[in-house]
Amino acid sequence: MRRKLVAGNWKMHGSLAENDALLSGVLAGMGSLRAGVAVCVPFPFLAQVQAKLTGSAIAWGAQNLSQHAKGAYTGEVSATMLKDFGCAYVIVGHSERRALYGESDAVVAEKFAAALAAGLIPILCVGETLEEREGGVTEAVVGRQLDAVVAKSGVAALAKAVVAYEPVWAIGTGKTASPEQAQAVHAFIRGKVRALDAAVAEGLIIQYGGSMKPGNAAELLGQPDIDGGLIGGAALNAEEFLAICRAG
Ligand code: PEP
């Protein structure tokens, strides 16, 4: 049985004071949860979350990393730097990175490999745009995004990774994929991995992301191939985030 993982993606939100209040609220309400919990925060707040969450049941991570180990890459942050701040996870290939910062499948595959090499668990985001869904190419797009990573790192690498299916049209829009729509793509992803390695497929955590809220979390998380959530907006509110964690 796979343990569910609920991870918050704070995106470019927060301040030292806001984060302190948010994390205190989440810590206070954690109790004993079945699901694993993590927060992925902006780089400048990693020291704060490390100080606040060390010894707690909440893991933390970043939202991006450089594909390069070190060097003349002004403004970039390497995987080993994230390790220094105790990160367990790093989001790789979020649709906002792909769309706004031109991250190709090849760059995402390099970032995924860089994360693994440093001992971080990459949360690989895949997902189609509305145009792609309406054009009937959802599986082709998601399959291509997955293939790029498997071609570079091998299927065994997925044993140390998480995949997040995030339909682009559902991110931050309030439109959620129906449990059936999400389950179908999750099953497709797992089936694709199973064709390469059945054991890796069975153990693979595949999160759903895209306007997951307390009101829809239980039904989504109840699907057989949905193993958790990557949560944007609702992760900025302690009660909403906790409600989703409890549904897992
Ligand atoms: C996300 O940022 O990955 C995300 C799923 O955002 P939201 O929950 O706000 O749709």
Side-chain angles (χ1 to χ4, degrees):
M1 190 63 189
R2 294 177 295 272
R3 188 181 186 213
K4 293 200 181 349
L5 174 68
V6 178
N9 171 15
W10 289 4
K11 309 197 190 204
M12 198 173 74
H13 293 290
S15 67
L16 291 173
E18 286 169 3
N19 306 342
D20 193 60
L22 174 57
L23 291 171
S24 292
V26 176
L27 284 168
M30 284 282 288
S32 62
L33 292 173
R34 279 185 312 239
V37 178
V39 289
C40 294
V41 308
F43 296 135
F45 300 138
L46 286 172
Q48 180 189 23
V49 295
Q50 183 179 31
K52 186 115 181 151
L53 299 181
T54 294
S56 80
I58 306 177
W60 61 93
Q63 302 166 15
N64 183 31
L65 81 168
S66 172
Q67 64 270 48
H68 304 292
K70 61 162 74 168
Y73 301 104
T74 302
E76 292 291 281
V77 174
S78 74
T80 52
M81 294 173 190
L82 300 181
K83 273 303 267 191
D84 263 355
F85 285 88
C87 289
Y89 297 96
V90 60
I91 297 173
V92 174
H94 191 280
S95 67
E96 288 153 18
R97 301 294 317 171
R98 293 179 191 259
L100 303 175
Y101 301 96
E103 290 189 11
S104 63
D105 290 340
V107 166
V108 170
E110 285 181 33
K111 291 187 174 200
F112 182 96
L116 280 181
L120 294 164
I121 300 171
I123 300 177
L124 171 69
C125 297
V126 297
E128 81 289 359
T129 63
L130 185 58
E131 203 183 1
E132 289 164 340
R133 172 160 283 266
E134 288 175 350
V137 292
T138 296
E139 292 189 356
V141 169
V142 169
R144 190 201 70 220
Q145 292 170 334
L146 201 60
D147 283 346
V149 166
V150 172
K152 178 152 183 71
S153 295
V155 67
L158 291 176
K160 298 181 205 126
V162 171
V163 172
Y165 168 57
E166 297 211 306
V168 179
W169 49 272
I171 298 177
T173 58
K175 289 189 195 130
T176 316
S178 69
E180 295 74 24
Q181 283 174 321
Q183 166 59 25
V185 182
H186 283 236
F188 165 74
I189 293 169
R190 198 177 311 283
K192 212 172 149 48
V193 176
R194 189 180 292 118
L196 300 171
D197 189 316
V200 170
E202 288 324 303
L204 181 64
I205 293 176
I206 308 175
Q207 297 175 315
Y208 168 80
S211 300
M212 197 187 271
K213 307 279 179 216
N216 58 31
E219 216 188 338
L220 285 160
L221 295 172
Q223 301 301 309
D225 288 296
I226 300 185
D227 309 310
L230 185 55
I231 318 300
L236 299 174
N237 177 293
E239 284 314 312
E240 288 191 19
F241 186 59
L242 281 165
I244 295 172
C245 294
R246 288 190 198 106

